[in-house]
Amino acid sequence: MSPAGHTCPLSLAAGTVPGSCRVFSPIVSPIARTVLPSGSVVVNSCSSAAEQLCNFVCDCSDCSDENQCGYLRGSAVLGTPFTCDFEDSDCGWQDVGTSTYGWVRGRASLAMWGTGPHSDHTLGTDLGWFLVTTSPPAKTTATAWLRSPEMREAAATCEIRAWYHLSGSCEGTQGLNQTERPVLRLAVAHRDDVVGLWQSPERSSEGWHQLVAYPGRITEQFQLIFSLTQPPTCGAEVALDDIMFRNCGLPEVGQQVCGAQESRCSHGSCLAWHRFCDGTDDCGDSSDEDAAQCKNFTHCSFDHDLCGWEVATGPPVWSRNTSLSLGTSYSAPTRDHSNNSRAGLFLHVGGGPTAQAGGTAQLISPTFQATNSCSLVLYYHLHGSATSNLSISYMTNSTKNLMRERIGDLGSCWVRERVDFIVTVPFKVLIEGVTSSGGTVAIDDLILSQGCVKEQETPVVTLPSEAGASPCTADEVACDSGDCIAAELACDFADTCADGSDEKRCGTTTFESGAGGWHDVSVGRLRWGLQRVTEPDSFLTGTSLALQTGEGQMVGPAKARSPPLGPSGPACTMEMSYRIHSDPQGFLAVSIADHTTGTTQLAWQTQGHGSTAGGRVRVPLGQRSRPFQVELLAMVDLQDTVNVSVDNVTFEQCYLDVVSPTAAELSCNFERDLCGWYQDLSSDFKWVRSMGQGHGSDHTTGSGYFLSVDPSVPWSHGQRAQLLTSHQEPAAAPRCLSFWYRLAGPQIGTLNLKLRPEGGEDVVLWTRRGTQGSIWHRAWATLPATGQQRYQVAFEVLHDGFLGDVGLDDLAQTAGPCGAELSCSFEAGDCALAASGKGTWQRQSNGTGTTAGPGTDHTTGTAAGHYMVVNTGRVSLPAGHTAALTSQPYQPSVPAQCLAFWYQLSTGTPGSLQVFVEQSRVRTKVLSVSTMEGSSWHRSHVTVQPDGDWQVVFEAVGAGGDHGFIALDDLHVSDGACPEPASCDFEQDTCGWSSPSDPRLNSLAWGWKSGVTLAKYPSPEQDHTLGTRNGHYVHFDTSALGARGTSALLESPPLPAATDSCLRFWYHMDIAEHLSSGELRVTLHGAAGQRTVWSVAGHRSRGWQSAVVPVQSPGEFQISFEITTRRWPVEGTVALDDIMYSARVGCHSSPESPVEEKPSGSFVAEVVLSLLLALIIVALVAAGGWYWLKPRGQASRTPAESNSPQGFDNITFRDDKVIISPREQDEA
């Protein structure tokens, strides 16, 4: 059938049946051969011929002939040539689907966690660009197609790398076959064929992953095609970034000086002798594979038969096959090597799910004469399994001599191998393939040199008997003793075999008696091999693993891999000795690969320095699930003394259940170390133990250590930074974990505390999102009893914000549950509030809830956020019945506390919300509300003056309406009496003033801090309330404005209609005058819209300035402070303090004496001089005035004169504040 109900295209691609739209392969599409659209024609400055455009060779001096080719001439950010990073354009890539489902160039969205990438790959932030698929249709299988411009002439060494991000999932597809998952594919369209190069692995994990594809030698024009195919009900989304083309250009034309072991190609470049007649067009003009030159070589492509080679009876057996007949399984070759075609033949052994363990397919050559010059070149394909292998041996009189063995998954490509035979008696060559579940082994193009001469009189060379075949089943491995154990128990860092043999070949080795389980998986011209250490060395002993010349046709680092390991514990480290002698281009690196999800992560690396360097290094591996493999990568130019070696590898403290002496130390101030906490190393986004570096000081001493996460660190692509404990013993009783945290910055993400039961789902115990100010806050979370289950505790920062930082300090674990939570957002749970009565309060989000409730919560402003809600419809809560929600007891340490909370009532007849403070079983009603203007969240607060422990009770009372709800969110108890609504001195908290959390507003958040200077957030050195460094205010750094947000909003809670009210506040602005496109303004917004009632342009610091703004609104409204700039970035800061809102009291009747400006900085000197001058003038005027008034008597002043100082431009002077005692306040 045609894809998603489309009509047949006019020109059918290869692989389609005439008269139908049936497509044999999901990769073949109606887009195989098309002309480049005129929009992506390359304009090149040196007018090079069309054949020279997009051929991976710079023909113009400025390389403009290699632009908009699916790549640009280079990426300035990454410093790599022939790369498309999508930062400036789509590089000529085009969406060529025939439906609305397709590809667009886009940026990260931080709106919803778990959908799409939260950063691009190039920059590692939300400002970078990538290509991404749009939403697929809901009911049908759909494919999004993306095609490159036409490219020309790829060399045999060509390597394509790209980064992809697969997110979202399919509903109910667990346990279904692989066609039921979203599959990303890369194919090449050449002539009339579309050949697959790569497809995504069957399992994927979150984050950016790298794909590597080798197209092989392609002549003439070709195009690349990415496709994402989705089954119905799949909401998956794929992003692509940083597409790179390496070593794809043909060798330069021109006479080169060739070395002793080289010959010249027709166009003048040099090539090693043994690369001639090897089945690969290395020269680029086929002159190294010329038929006349290669007539003495025996070449078997399996296109017609086995060329005299024999297949031993199986199962399993080598069988001739094509990619067309094998289909699109993940591990099968997508083309043969001889023709780069889906129709070409090769030999293959498939490892289906029922493959026999130890089953070996054998291919045996004819008998050859004794020789010293016989070489075999072949191409092999090992993919889909970490344990499949291919071995090449020769046999004489039933003894088998192993010459080469390759183990593991080398990717979806054909790799060249060459073996030289020097044998003094007649012999046969034996090629053996062993597959394991899900893997495929294939070979093609066997080429024997002229020194391999068939023996005429055939001596008897018999196959070795298979008597030693393993007695174990497919999912078992054999101990040396002959016992069988489950395969996943081998190399798990704990002895399972009685003789310990299951942990012998697992990477811990001195290389004296073999490779210790390490195997070479190189595909290029370098490889790892065992080598004697010739000269005495302080780093290496005896035999080491060293770089050698490899036989592969690619260009890239040598790679050796450990067997599949794990699971490992959080303290796991690998130690090794190494030596490197290389120029600075050379390197040695350790990475960790998980082939089930296709992820590889760099763990350690060192560059060459031109001289010999080395030593012993510890590489932390951390906690990882099974199976993972450690990889050694190295790249040098092997000449003279240049080399890299590794020796004496050990794995320390890797057993999952290893008990560290500090394992139970959850209490920690981080002054000495991390106590019982460990870094999660499976991500490159990490917690750092530091002393601040501009983020502020630690909490313990003010000058010590704390842990921090800075999400703006470049190149950090991990999705989460986690701090883990090791496995804790089961907990019989709950405990309380208290900690101090800091969440600061205009766009900072989420901090979670999680409990991770062994074998269970993570449980979020506590969470905060968005800025909480550059201030340490204390939080508590109860760690529940875990019964018989062991568990881990984790602090996690999500990579969902990029401006700000997170801090953690002074963790303390105590027995028993925590008391009442002083701050509760309901994101992590119900904070132990107890529900009782007729109806039931329940915690829910609008996205998942069963009860009617607000569309969004108050904390996050999204449908995913949680709140408490009760259904007040008459069925659930009949008229007069109540549903109560009671807090845990609060234990006050000061005479007065402020209880604040946000509530929402539905329209119609929602019933009423009554709030009581209960003390010694005596209830006092403090609030009753039954109607509410608008459908937004409202804030209420009440001052509590307890003489002991107290509780708050929220009671919903039914009113008999058909439908209705009452909802609660963001309870907060702070010390000190509550200020008037929308008034705040910012000393205790922000009094309900907040920045809107709706990510669609494109606005950044104001911060809250004291006057202590932070390099990261420059701002006034003194607040206005106290006039000291210890006083607090809200502030915003205008340099943050830009692509992430064009404004910064600070909003009051909703306020009732006002006829004659007044807003007074103090502001501090410091923005360079010549950049003063910045503006601070006050707006009122309600149902009728919004209007600006006050504004001031950006200016250099004049200290704290006061402002008085009359306020009138016919309906409910909010006050907003907004900073905007027309040009950004603009360096500067704006701060606010002492906001005072007087309801129903106009600005003409000042509640205080006129107030004075508090100077700061260089402004102080000006003020002092002005005052001295003013005193002199005042003295003169006073003398004259006294003389003038003496005969006339004093005239009484009019009220208008005393109202406000004339001509002072909103700068007023004041006496000290008058503090009213609580008793006077009560009476008032």
Side-chain angles (χ1 to χ4, degrees):
M1 63 168 278
S2 62
H6 305 143
T7 55
C8 278
L10 292 172
S11 60
L12 288 169
T16 58
V17 181
S20 82
C21 267
R22 185 166 166 272
V23 178
F24 288 154
S25 156
I27 299 169
V28 178
S29 73
I31 57 172
R33 299 289 297 140
T34 47
V35 188
L36 262 177
S38 58
S40 52
V41 167
V42 179
V43 178
N44 63 96
S45 58
C46 65
S47 304
S48 57
E51 301 82 64
Q52 294 176 312
L53 296 182
C54 302
N55 66 349
F56 313 101
V57 177
C58 292
D59 298 295
C60 301
S61 58
D62 61 356
C63 203
S64 58
D65 55 310
E66 299 297 314
N67 246 355
Q68 294 295 323
C69 295
Y71 54 86
L72 303 181
R73 57 197 135 187
S75 163
V77 181
L78 301 170
T80 51
F82 305 146
T83 297
C84 185
D85 59 20
F86 299 108
E87 294 309 310
D88 301 311
S89 75
D90 57 15
C91 308
W93 287 90
Q94 281 194 304
D95 171 48
V96 286
T98 49
S99 70
T100 54
Y101 182 38
W103 296 81
V104 293
R105 182 167 162 266
R107 263 181 171 159
S109 160
L110 301 179
M112 285 290 288
W113 183 256
T115 56
H118 282 257
S119 61
D120 80 321
H121 185 264
T122 318
L123 303 173
T125 75
D126 57 332
L127 296 184
W129 294 83
F130 44 75
L131 289 187
V132 64
T133 53
T134 55
S135 296
K139 299 287 194 309
T140 55
T141 297
T143 301
W145 301 97
L146 180 72
R147 189 187 59 217
S148 76
E150 287 204 339
M151 306 173 185
R152 290 168 178 78
E153 302 292 344
T157 52
C158 186
E159 174 184 290
I160 303 167
R161 289 179 178 256
W163 291 83
Y164 69 96
H165 185 289
L166 189 57
S167 55
S169 61
C170 302
E171 295 167 21
T173 58
Q174 281 72 27
L176 296 180
N177 64 26
Q178 62 171 4
T179 57
E180 290 298 317
R181 64 189 174 89
V183 181
L184 176 67
R185 291 185 173 89
L186 171 61
V188 59
H190 176 233
R191 297 195 175 124
D192 291 324
D193 202 7
V194 178
V195 173
L197 298 179
W198 175 91
Q199 76 178 49
S200 51
E202 293 175 20
R203 292 219 299 275
S204 187
S205 59
E206 63 180 3
W208 286 98
H209 304 315
Q210 192 175 39
L211 70 85
V212 182
Y214 298 100
R217 173 79 178 100
I218 305 179
T219 57
E220 302 165 12
Q221 296 100 323
F222 64 94
Q223 287 174 290
L224 296 175
I225 299 166
F226 279 102
S227 63
L228 175 69
T229 303
Q230 301 236 39
T233 74
C234 251
E237 183 178 286
V238 163
L240 279 175
D241 206 358
D242 295 340
I243 302 175
M244 300 178 197
F245 295 83
R246 296 184 180 176
N247 310 305
C248 292
L250 296 179
E252 284 182 39
V253 176
Q255 297 299 310
Q256 297 176 353
V257 179
C258 297
Q261 303 288 311
E262 294 179 327
S263 288
R264 188 170 278 118
C265 301
S266 292
H267 60 45
S269 64
C270 300
L271 184 68
W273 286 346
H274 64 83
R275 299 269 170 186
F276 280 79
C277 303
D278 67 347
T280 293
D281 174 14
D282 298 288
C283 286
D285 58 7
S286 299
S287 58
D288 54 319
E289 301 300 313
D290 178 62
Q293 182 172 246
C294 301
K295 64 178 185 294
N296 293 325
F297 286 76
T298 310
H299 184 162
C300 184
S301 67
F302 304 115
D303 284 345
H304 307 293
D305 54 24
L306 297 180
C307 318
W309 290 68
E310 290 175 42
V311 171
T313 55
V317 294
W318 290 102
S319 57
R320 280 171 72 231
N321 226 321
T322 69
S323 300
L324 277 174
S325 60
L326 285 175
T328 58
S329 81
Y330 174 66
S331 64
T334 56
R335 63 219 192 263
D336 76 331
H337 179 262
S338 323
N339 313 296
N340 228 0
S341 161
R342 293 186 301 138
L345 284 135
F346 48 81
L347 287 192
H348 111 289
V349 189
T354 57
Q356 289 294 304
T360 304
Q362 296 182 322
L363 182 70
I364 306 133
S365 74
T367 304
F368 297 115
Q369 294 176 5
T371 180
N372 61 359
S373 63
C374 171
S375 67
L376 166 70
V377 170
L378 61 78
Y379 292 82
Y380 63 91
H381 184 286
L382 272 173
H383 188 37
S385 165
T387 52
S388 295
N389 77 52
L390 174 81
S391 60
I392 302 168
S393 314
Y394 69 89
M395 299 178 306
T396 58
N397 299 333
S398 79
T399 60
K400 184 165 87 168
N401 303 277
L402 181 66
M403 297 294 289
R404 189 82 80 244
E405 183 175 35
R406 305 306 298 269
I407 303 175
D409 187 335
L410 275 66
S412 180
C413 60
W414 290 101
V415 182
R416 178 185 186 273
E417 185 58 270
R418 179 171 172 271
V419 180
D420 295 324
F421 297 99
I422 300 173
V423 189
T424 54
V425 292
F427 67 97
K428 289 187 177 193
V429 178
L430 173 66
I431 301 173
E432 295 177 298
V434 179
T435 63
S436 54
S437 177
T440 299
V441 182
I443 54 174
D444 200 4
D445 289 336
L446 272 55
I447 302 166
L448 291 160
S449 68
Q450 55 203 39
C452 308
V453 182
K454 286 186 190 174
E455 182 73 56
Q456 299 308 316
E457 296 174 10
T458 311
V460 180
V461 177
T462 55
L463 273 175
S465 70
E466 289 292 307
S470 168
C472 303
T473 63
D475 52 1
E476 291 182 326
V477 294
C479 303
D480 288 357
S481 61
D483 298 336
C484 295
I485 63 165
E488 66 266 16
L489 297 177
C491 300
D492 66 349
F493 307 110
D495 292 347
T496 307
C497 295
D499 54 8
S501 56
D502 57 314
E503 300 299 314
K504 264 187 194 165
R505 289 168 289 278
C506 296
T508 294
T509 180
T510 60
F511 298 108
E512 298 309 311
S513 53
W518 293 92
H519 46 273
D520 177 65
V521 290
S522 310
V523 297
R525 302 181 181 189
L526 292 169
R527 71 166 171 225
W528 290 97
L530 296 180
Q531 200 164 295
R532 291 291 299 167
V533 178
T534 47
E535 51 206 63
D537 195 302
S538 54
F539 310 129
L540 314 173
T541 53
T543 304
S544 68
L545 193 65
L547 276 201
Q548 299 172 351
T549 304
E551 296 296 342
Q553 77 274 38
M554 318 303 181
V555 178
K559 189 188 288 184
R561 217 177 258 156
S562 73
L565 306 173
S568 62
C572 181
T573 54
M574 181 181 92
E575 292 191 20
M576 66 178 191
S577 306
Y578 74 95
R579 181 179 66 183
I580 179 169
H581 183 112
S582 157
D583 61 17
Q585 273 71 50
F587 69 86
L588 168 67
V590 176
S591 63
I592 298 146
D594 178 348
H595 287 282
T596 54
T597 57
T599 55
T600 303
Q601 185 199 348
L602 183 67
W604 175 86
Q605 70 170 340
T606 183
Q607 302 288 132
H609 299 289
S611 56
T612 301
R616 185 110 182 122
V617 64
R618 294 183 76 235
V619 181
L621 305 180
Q623 179 171 323
R624 294 180 186 272
S625 56
R626 181 183 179 87
F628 68 91
Q629 290 174 282
V630 180
E631 295 182 338
L632 300 173
L633 296 105
M635 181 109 172
V636 296
D637 188 5
L638 275 182
Q639 290 171 350
D640 307 326
T641 59
V642 172
N643 209 325
V644 178
S645 304
V646 166
D647 203 359
N648 301 321
V649 182
T650 59
F651 290 87
E652 308 290 338
Q653 286 197 294
C654 286
Y655 178 49
L656 186 61
D657 295 335
V658 68
V659 178
S660 132
T662 61
E665 279 184 35
L666 301 200
S667 298
C668 195
N669 61 14
F670 305 113
E671 296 305 317
R672 191 182 67 247
D673 54 26
L674 298 187
C675 312
W677 297 87
Y678 295 92
Q679 189 77 256
D680 170 27
L681 297 168
S682 64
S683 167
D684 65 353
F685 182 41
K686 294 189 174 78
W687 289 88
V688 177
R689 178 173 167 267
S690 71
M691 296 182 76
Q693 282 93 35
H695 300 178
S697 54
D698 84 319
H699 178 261
T700 319
T701 64
S703 59
Y705 287 88
F706 62 99
L707 294 190
S708 66
V709 173
D710 184 347
S712 63
V713 170
W715 323 122
S716 175
H717 299 110
Q719 301 283 292
R720 55 194 75 229
Q722 296 199 100
L723 188 69
L724 302 166
T725 63
S726 53
H727 282 278
Q728 305 289 302
E729 290 306 308
R735 287 119 315 129
C736 180
L737 182 67
S738 75
F739 54 94
W740 291 82
Y741 74 94
R742 190 166 62 205
L743 264 173
Q747 186 220 50
I748 190 65
T750 308
L751 172 63
N752 292 324
L753 172 64
K754 289 180 163 183
L755 186 81
R756 188 171 289 173
E758 194 170 32
E761 293 286 312
D762 288 6
V763 179
V764 178
L765 301 177
W766 179 94
T767 183
R768 284 288 179 280
R769 175 172 167 75
T771 186
Q772 313 287 313
S774 304
I775 289 165
W776 287 104
H777 301 274
R778 193 175 189 189
W780 294 263
T782 299
L783 306 179
T786 61
Q788 302 302 306
Q789 270 185 311
R790 297 192 317 160
Y791 65 95
Q792 287 175 285
V793 182
F795 280 99
E796 168 185 81
V797 176
L798 296 182
H799 214 174
D800 56 350
F802 294 90
L803 289 173
D805 54 89
V806 184
L808 186 66
D809 206 359
D810 293 339
L811 280 56
Q813 180 180 246
T814 52
C818 305
E821 290 190 39
L822 297 178
S823 196
C824 182
S825 66
F826 302 112
E827 293 308 306
D830 59 12
C831 304
L833 271 73
S836 59
K838 169 76 177 166
T840 40
W841 286 89
Q842 60 190 56
R843 172 181 167 269
Q844 70 170 39
S845 72
N846 189 51
T848 57
T850 53
T851 298
T856 60
D857 77 326
H858 177 260
T859 319
T860 70
T862 68
H866 291 79
Y867 47 79
M868 297 297 290
V869 66
V870 61
N871 183 342
T872 57
R874 61 167 166 263
V875 176
S876 302
L877 194 64
H881 285 71
T882 62
L885 192 64
T886 308
S887 75
Q888 297 289 305
Y890 295 106
Q891 298 168 321
S893 56
V894 291
Q897 288 188 300
C898 180
L899 163 70
F901 55 92
W902 291 78
Y903 65 91
Q904 195 176 134
L905 277 62
S906 62
T907 53
T909 318
S912 62
L913 172 65
Q914 302 188 352
V915 183
F916 301 88
V917 170
E918 184 174 305
Q919 215 179 335
S920 309
R921 307 222 172 157
V922 177
R923 279 189 178 192
T924 309
K925 186 188 286 187
V926 293
L927 175 79
S928 179
V929 58
S930 56
T931 57
M932 192 182 82
E933 193 177 336
S935 60
S936 58
W937 286 94
H938 285 58
R939 185 177 190 266
S940 183
H941 61 223
V942 60
T943 299
V944 181
Q945 293 176 307
D947 46 15
D949 291 2
W950 62 279
Q951 291 168 280
V952 59
V953 182
F954 297 95
E955 201 169 75
V957 184
D962 290 342
H963 307 287
F965 65 80
I966 296 175
L968 283 174
D969 204 358
D970 289 330
L971 273 61
H972 183 63
V973 176
S974 56
D975 289 347
C978 301
E980 289 298 309
S983 296
C984 200
D985 63 10
F986 301 106
E987 294 309 313
Q988 288 293 333
D989 57 22
T990 58
C991 318
W993 285 89
S994 62
S995 293
S997 49
D998 186 344
R1000 292 167 304 195
L1001 286 176
N1002 207 26
S1003 119
L1004 297 171
W1006 287 65
W1008 174 47
K1009 69 184 285 293
S1010 66
V1012 175
T1013 311
L1014 299 178
K1016 197 161 181 180
Y1017 308 112
S1019 44
E1021 293 180 8
Q1022 300 172 340
D1023 81 323
H1024 180 263
T1025 317
L1026 307 177
T1028 70
R1029 292 183 55 175
N1030 296 325
H1032 295 79
Y1033 51 82
V1034 287
H1035 72 104
F1036 187 79
D1037 176 2
T1038 56
S1039 63
L1041 291 175
R1044 284 202 175 90
T1046 49
S1047 67
L1049 283 169
L1050 184 70
E1051 294 181 336
S1052 74
L1055 297 165
T1059 50
D1060 186 16
S1061 300
C1062 190
L1063 175 71
R1064 293 177 170 81
F1065 59 92
W1066 290 83
Y1067 69 94
H1068 186 292
M1069 192 176 260
D1070 192 359
I1071 298 176
E1073 302 283 355
H1074 65 282
L1075 295 172
S1076 64
S1077 59
E1079 186 178 53
L1080 170 65
R1081 55 177 176 246
V1082 177
T1083 57
L1084 308 181
H1085 58 100
Q1090 71 171 37
R1091 62 193 173 97
T1092 301
V1093 292
W1094 179 91
S1095 68
V1096 64
H1099 53 250
R1100 274 278 177 221
S1101 175
R1102 301 175 192 161
W1104 284 101
Q1105 315 258 334
S1106 74
V1108 180
V1109 182
V1111 173
Q1112 291 183 321
S1113 176
E1116 185 179 83
F1117 70 103
Q1118 284 175 283
I1119 303 170
S1120 277
F1121 287 93
E1122 183 177 15
I1123 301 169
T1124 57
T1125 61
R1126 288 187 292 278
R1127 282 198 312 272
W1128 33 259
V1130 174
E1131 296 289 331
T1133 57
V1134 179
L1136 294 173
D1137 203 0
D1138 291 333
I1139 299 173
M1140 193 163 73
Y1141 174 67
S1142 311
R1144 297 180 302 282
V1145 180
C1147 295
H1148 48 83
S1149 53
S1150 176
E1152 299 185 356
S1153 311
V1155 279
E1156 71 176 305
E1157 173 189 359
K1158 287 209 178 166
S1160 76
S1162 62
F1163 191 63
V1164 172
E1166 295 172 34
V1167 171
V1168 171
L1169 287 169
S1170 304
L1171 285 173
L1172 283 171
L1173 194 60
L1175 284 170
I1176 294 165
I1177 293 167
V1178 166
L1180 291 169
V1181 170
W1186 178 80
Y1187 176 77
W1188 175 252
L1189 286 172
K1190 193 174 179 185
R1192 292 165 179 74
Q1194 277 193 316
S1196 59
R1197 291 178 299 167
T1198 64
E1201 284 175 308
S1202 59
N1203 237 350
S1204 63
Q1206 300 300 303
F1208 272 83
D1209 185 30
N1210 267 350
I1211 300 175
T1212 54
F1213 295 90
R1214 69 164 195 178
D1215 299 331
D1216 284 342
K1217 278 188 185 173
V1218 178
I1219 307 294
I1220 301 170
S1221 73
R1223 190 173 297 281
E1224 287 171 297
Q1225 245 176 341
D1226 292 347
E1227 289 164 4

